[in-house]
């Protein structure tokens, strides 16, 4: 699914933008950094968030197939069922806040890239 999300963004990429930069003497690294990645960044970011959310959504699968390894969702589940610990809401809060921080950081990066493109 992540590949599909990123592929949609790749198919909308206009190759003439990269060609124009090449014609103006830009290096491959400059084209990648200043043209390609800012255009593809929303798709990459959406794919990463989608993969993260899917990994948390596959909890039952990891619960029954993890073996002796203890994953964070499996540990949380065991603490909620057997012996409650104050770390459960703390870890949930930290997880939610870190996801929100990632979303805000991604939105800020996209906003800055768009502002930079508008100035150019």
């Amino acid at each position: 699914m992540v590949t599909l999300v990123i592929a949609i963004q790749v198919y909308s990429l206009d190759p003439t933008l990269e060609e124009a930069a090449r014609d103006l003497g830009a290096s491959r690294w400059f084209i990648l950094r200043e043209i390609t990645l800012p255009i593809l960044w929303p798709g990459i970011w959406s794919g990463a968030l989608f993969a993260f959310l899917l990994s948390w959504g596959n909890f039952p699968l990891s619960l029954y197939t993890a073996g002796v390894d203890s994953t964070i969702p499996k540990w949380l589940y065991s603490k909620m069922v057997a012996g409650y610990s104050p770390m459960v809401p703390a870890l949930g809060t930290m997880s939610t806040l870190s996801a929100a921080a990632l979303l805000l950081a991604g939105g800020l990066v996209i906003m800055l890239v768009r502002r930079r493109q508008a100035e150019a």
Side-chain angles (χ1 to χ4, degrees):
M1 282 310 259
V2 175
T3 307
L4 180 64
V5 171
I6 295 173
I8 291 169
Q9 200 73 23
V10 170
Y11 288 132
S12 68
L13 178 67
D14 186 10
T16 58
L17 295 172
E18 293 175 341
E19 186 178 327
R22 236 179 276 115
D23 289 345
L24 292 172
S27 67
R28 286 185 178 188
W29 173 247
F30 184 84
I31 293 170
L32 177 69
R33 191 184 64 219
E34 298 293 329
I35 296 170
T36 308
L37 283 180
I39 293 171
L40 298 181
W41 184 247
I44 294 168
W45 185 249
S46 300
L49 287 176
F50 189 64
F52 175 76
L53 292 174
L54 275 180
S55 71
W56 278 96
N58 286 332
F59 167 71
L61 180 66
S62 68
L63 178 65
Y64 295 118
T65 60
V68 295
D69 296 332
S70 182
T71 61
I72 291 177
K74 190 175 175 181
W75 180 84
L76 282 173
Y77 181 73
S78 69
K79 290 297 181 188
M80 288 189 298
V81 171
Y84 182 76
S85 168
M87 285 185 65
V88 172
L91 189 59
T93 302
M94 287 178 14
S95 175
T96 303
L97 290 176
S98 64
L102 282 172
L103 282 171
L104 289 174
L108 180 64
V109 167
I110 291 171
M111 184 181 69
L112 290 174
V113 166
R114 287 186 180 164
R115 183 180 298 161
R116 185 184 226 177
Q117 288 175 346
E119 290 174 357

